[in-house]
Amino acid sequence: MDSFIRSIINAPRAKKRVITLCIDSLFIAAAFWLALIVRLDSLEPLSVTSNWLLLILLIPISLYTFISLGLYRAVLRYMNSQAVWAIILGTIITTVSLVLLAFFVGIDIPRTMPFIFAWLCLLTVGGSRIIVRALIGRMTTSNKDAVIIYGAGSSGRQLATALNAGPEYFVSAFIDDDVTKHGSIIQGIPVRAFNDIHELIKKRKATKVLLAMPSETRARRKEVLAQLEPLTIKVLSIPGMADIVEGKAKLSEFRDVEIEDLLGRDPVTPKDDLMTANITDKVVMVTGAGGSIGSELCRQIVKLKPTKLVLFERSEIALYSIEKELGEYISNNTLNIELIPIMGSVQRVNRLETVMRTFGVQTIYHAAAYKHVPLVEHNVVEGVRNNVFGTYYAAKAAVEAKVDTFVLISTDKAVRPTNVMGATKRMAELVLQGLAQEQGAKHQTRFCMVRFGNVLGSSGSVVPLFRRQIKEGGPITLTHPDITRYFMTIPEAAQLVIQAGAMGKGGDVFVLDMGDSVKISDLATKMVRLSGLEIKTDDTPHGDIEIKCTGLRPGEKLYEELLIGDNVEQTPHERIMTAHEVMLPLSELNVFIDALDIACHNFEHEKIRQLLLDAPTGFNPTDGICDLVWNARLENESKDNTKSVNNVVNLQS
């Protein structure tokens, strides 16, 4: 039987229409005779020739009516209200035609017979389609995975329609917080309360929960995810309506739960006056333009319509990628912005100054830096050269080129640093603070720095690592079970940097409000459970993903801070604060800079470390010198000394 129905379903469209016309003819004939038999309570009408003549005239008229109303163009499995109205209207016209034909042909029929005929016609023609649709639906859903949609709003309903029409999923239920919807049926799908989700997962064998709440705040989505997390069922979300409208995504495209939703932090609408102050109709330069922060800064800057945007980057492929992306955006939006891709290193002061003078740069966002803690710990000299001297040279070039504003992208690791990376970034802050003291007397460049924590999706971020490890079946690697970090999205960080830069008066240290710190082990656990998997522990030895702690890496802190002291003030922006930190006069700072330059040139790692300790950086290293070249050289010297000792001849023996 199943195979017979499937053969009809898979038959050509023309063949299915012919079959439907024949079946409807039988239904109309059956309704006609049943109406007469029921009304007269006798089989005698079957023997009356005039009744047969009336039926022969009625069937073509009825079929023509249904064809004209488009009933046979409707696909049964997608039958909607339009098809229902076609059946109702067609039945009414057929019934009226029956009465008129009987009158003009002179055939007597009972007065109530047309009403009985109409009801029977609706039952047979309409009911058969409902039954067939249900059968097809059951057959098609048997090979689909059951899913639950969280949210019975417009997005959820559209998603349900798209899924039920597709080959992969069928919607077994809606979950909604609106109590007025509980117990109702929308598009043939029951709406249930969240308390019923355990039953739905168990009885209906749902494999996924789809979040259809793109317009909800992140705080609300965080609450929902906190409810879903203990269920150990895969949770996916649909794209935001803005992405769907702009053609960046489709409603039926599912995404893993965004980490932004787990953090529950909603972005603040940027202030237009602060966003445009240093950018609109100005020449802007971004160093490290191809990096995670630098590239997002460039994306935000082009939207604010500078006259020129100088992309300064040492990596050829990174520069190529960001120039191509921005070029397409400028072209597609017909913007009058000149893109200037410049290859170069921030460690070459004459290159920097020449570029700034040539293009008349007015605003600089200095994002060029080495930021990966263990790598800088293993390559101390390059870390110092790039982070300290790169900032120093860029700032000196800005002064000489008469740049108006210079904004340094700093980090929370500059606060009481335990690693070389953090110490070098704090040293870079001291450089700008020292130069800012001469503002007005010797130059007009306004220096400020913006300090914030980790950004989601940046290079080396823990989130993409966890996703990959979960996909590969684990284990997830943590450095320490108690480690915590601050997180922020890259677009929000870039917008706040631009706004903070506009508020700077000179030497300001701006600190971004990062919200609450996040325990990384909790983040890993949530990501695993919302992927529909279970954590493997001693209590749950049959779990899917194990979390392993590998120990803190060189220079790594258990937690990060954003402020050195408590001397902090609020700015006009609710998520930007300003801190008053210790600084050095430029004359004293230059002594450190000169000594650090010589130490780097001679690869004197002990001297480098001592200088970083002596400067007011707050450097408190947790490890010894971890530079790979330094340690390898010491090891080689130790081996050479051992060999020399072994080669000595003992003359007294």
Side-chain angles (χ1 to χ4, degrees):
M1 183 67 179
D2 224 27
S3 59
F4 174 71
I5 296 173
R6 289 187 185 277
S7 65
I8 295 175
I9 293 171
N10 297 324
R13 186 98 176 112
K15 186 178 179 180
K16 285 191 284 189
R17 283 181 177 175
V18 171
I19 294 170
T20 308
L21 282 166
C22 294
I23 293 171
D24 283 346
S25 299
L26 293 174
F27 284 148
I28 294 165
F32 178 84
W33 291 119
L34 279 170
L36 284 172
I37 292 168
V38 169
R39 174 64 183 83
L40 299 173
D41 195 20
S42 170
L43 296 176
E44 188 179 341
L46 293 170
S47 61
V48 180
T49 307
S50 57
N51 289 340
W52 286 97
L53 175 63
L54 184 59
L55 179 61
I56 291 169
L57 294 172
L58 181 64
I59 287 175
I61 294 172
S62 182
L63 293 178
Y64 179 77
T65 301
F66 284 129
I67 292 170
S68 301
L69 292 171
L71 180 61
Y72 300 103
R73 292 196 299 272
V75 182
L76 277 178
R77 71 182 74 182
Y78 309 129
M79 193 175 73
N80 54 18
S81 59
Q82 187 178 355
V84 173
W85 279 111
I87 294 169
I88 294 171
L89 187 59
T91 301
I92 293 170
I93 294 171
T94 300
T95 305
V96 172
S97 301
L98 170 63
V99 174
L100 292 174
L101 282 170
F103 176 77
F104 285 112
V105 177
I107 300 170
D108 290 329
I109 57 173
R111 292 180 182 178
T112 55
M113 182 267 183
F115 296 102
I116 300 171
F117 170 78
W119 281 111
L120 290 171
C121 202
L122 282 173
L123 275 174
T124 52
V125 176
S128 62
R129 281 164 168 78
I130 293 171
I131 292 169
V132 170
R133 181 185 175 183
L135 286 171
I136 293 172
R138 180 166 292 185
M139 290 172 62
T140 54
T141 57
S142 61
N143 297 320
K144 294 182 178 181
D145 293 331
V147 297
I148 298 168
I149 294 179
Y150 199 116
S154 59
S155 298
R157 295 193 299 271
Q158 291 174 54
L159 179 61
T161 303
L163 290 178
N164 288 334
E168 296 176 329
Y169 305 104
F170 78 94
V171 182
S172 62
F174 285 114
I175 297 290
D176 203 275
D177 299 325
D178 187 353
V179 293
T180 60
K181 293 179 180 177
H182 295 168
S184 62
I185 294 178
I186 298 176
Q187 299 176 185
I189 304 166
V191 182
R192 307 284 288 274
F194 180 81
N195 294 336
D196 300 329
I197 197 166
H198 292 276
E199 178 193 348
L200 294 170
I201 294 170
K202 187 177 179 180
K203 290 186 177 180
R204 306 202 179 195
K205 298 179 180 179
T207 59
K208 295 179 177 70
V209 174
L210 309 178
L211 293 184
M213 39 197 315
S215 58
E216 291 286 353
T217 64
R218 284 180 183 160
R220 175 59 191 142
R221 290 202 291 271
K222 182 184 179 183
E223 291 175 7
V224 172
L225 291 171
Q227 290 179 301
L228 294 171
E229 182 199 334
L231 301 174
T232 318
I233 187 171
K234 190 171 182 62
V235 180
L236 299 170
S237 63
I238 64 171
M241 295 310 294
D243 290 339
I244 295 168
V245 171
E246 292 173 8
K248 297 178 182 177
K250 297 179 180 177
L251 185 67
S252 55
E253 288 180 355
F254 308 135
R255 301 171 175 173
D256 288 333
V257 174
E258 301 292 340
I259 301 302
E260 295 94 311
D261 295 338
L262 293 178
L263 300 178
R265 176 185 166 94
D266 289 301
V268 174
T269 304
K271 299 180 183 292
D272 291 338
D273 57 331
L274 295 177
M275 291 291 290
T276 59
N278 290 332
I279 295 173
T280 303
D281 297 328
K282 292 189 175 185
V283 181
V284 183
M285 176 173 169
V286 178
T287 66
S292 304
I293 297 295
S295 61
E296 183 60 33
L297 276 169
C298 292
R299 294 183 192 101
Q300 299 286 343
I301 288 167
V302 293
K303 295 176 183 178
L304 299 170
K305 301 178 181 178
T307 56
K308 298 176 184 177
L309 177 56
V310 181
L311 310 172
F312 196 87
E313 173 61 57
R314 68 184 299 176
S315 167
E316 182 184 28
I317 183 63
L319 183 60
Y320 167 79
S321 299
I322 190 63
E323 185 208 9
K324 185 173 175 55
E325 179 188 336
L326 296 178
E328 289 176 355
Y329 180 86
I330 291 169
S331 176
N332 294 337
N333 292 275
T334 60
L335 299 176
N336 187 24
I337 302 171
E338 184 182 355
L339 272 186
I340 305 168
I342 301 293
M343 290 179 62
S345 169
V346 290
Q347 298 180 39
R348 299 182 181 273
V349 64
N350 55 341
R351 173 69 165 169
L352 286 164
E353 186 179 337
T354 302
V355 169
M356 293 175 193
R357 285 185 182 277
T358 302
F359 299 107
V361 174
Q362 295 166 277
T363 303
I364 294 175
Y365 295 97
H366 183 60
Y370 290 141
K371 64 172 190 173
H372 197 267
V373 170
L375 284 180
V376 175
E377 208 70 17
H378 292 150
N379 298 271
V380 172
V381 172
E382 283 304 304
V384 172
R385 284 288 186 200
N386 204 53
N387 293 358
V388 179
F389 289 95
T391 303
Y392 180 66
Y393 294 149
K396 292 281 284 186
V399 169
E400 296 299 323
K402 296 180 171 58
V403 172
D404 296 331
T405 305
F406 187 106
V407 183
L408 167 69
I409 312 301
S410 192
T411 171
D412 57 359
K413 293 173 180 62
V415 178
R416 283 182 275 272
T418 59
N419 50 70
V420 175
M421 192 281 267
T424 57
K425 292 297 286 184
R426 177 60 186 140
M427 200 74 187
E429 291 181 355
L430 288 170
V431 166
L432 294 196
Q433 288 175 309
L435 287 168
Q437 291 177 325
E438 295 187 339
Q439 182 184 345
K442 295 185 178 180
H443 64 82
Q444 298 301 316
T445 304
R446 186 165 52 91
F447 293 101
C448 63
M449 48 231 86
V450 185
R451 191 186 287 165
F452 55 91
N454 299 274
V455 288
L456 295 168
S458 65
S459 59
S461 173
V462 71
V463 174
L465 173 65
F466 286 175
R467 287 202 193 282
R468 179 177 62 78
Q469 290 175 334
I470 292 170
K471 190 176 180 180
E472 293 173 353
I476 289 178
T477 52
L478 297 180
T479 56
H480 196 281
D482 298 324
I483 197 166
T484 63
R485 290 292 183 267
Y486 291 100
F487 286 102
M488 179 181 285
T489 65
I490 295 179
E492 185 183 11
Q495 289 175 0
L496 291 175
V497 164
I498 293 170
Q499 293 174 90
M503 292 189 288
K505 298 180 177 63
D508 310 80
V509 178
F510 292 106
V511 180
L512 304 187
D513 177 8
M514 300 290 296
D516 298 326
S517 63
V518 177
K519 196 172 181 179
I520 304 299
S521 61
D522 291 346
L523 182 64
T525 301
K526 288 177 181 179
M527 289 178 68
V528 170
R529 287 179 173 170
L530 293 172
S531 299
L533 304 171
E534 183 59 81
I535 299 292
K536 186 178 182 181
T537 63
D538 293 337
D539 297 329
T540 54
H542 302 294
D544 305 289
I545 304 289
E546 185 181 3
I547 296 178
K548 286 186 176 180
C549 293
T550 58
L552 291 174
R553 298 171 297 179
E556 192 171 31
K557 294 171 73 173
L558 273 178
Y559 59 92
E560 303 290 0
E561 303 167 272
L562 291 166
L563 295 168
I564 296 174
D566 298 324
N567 195 3
V568 61
E569 296 177 4
Q570 190 62 50
T571 68
H573 197 289
E574 61 185 276
R575 292 220 174 145
I576 302 174
M577 300 171 289
T578 182
H580 300 277
E581 307 283 31
V582 177
M583 60 178 70
L584 276 180
L586 191 60
S587 57
E588 294 181 31
L589 187 65
N590 284 331
V591 174
F592 279 99
I593 294 292
D594 292 341
L596 201 56
D597 187 23
I598 295 169
C600 287
H601 182 77
N602 296 325
F603 298 101
E604 296 173 337
H605 287 76
E606 289 115 329
K607 188 72 176 292
I608 294 170
R609 168 157 291 199
Q610 192 57 52
L611 287 166
L612 293 176
L613 287 166
D614 292 341
T617 59
F619 185 32
N620 184 24
T622 54
D623 301 275
I625 297 172
C626 301
D627 188 273
L628 297 178
V629 176
W630 168 262
N631 286 317
R633 190 173 67 181
L634 287 180
E635 188 177 339
N636 292 335
E637 289 175 356
S638 177
K639 287 179 181 178
D640 290 341
N641 291 335
T642 303
K643 287 179 182 178
S644 299
V645 171
N646 291 336
N647 290 332
V648 174
V649 179
N650 189 351
L651 298 177
Q652 295 179 352
S653 59

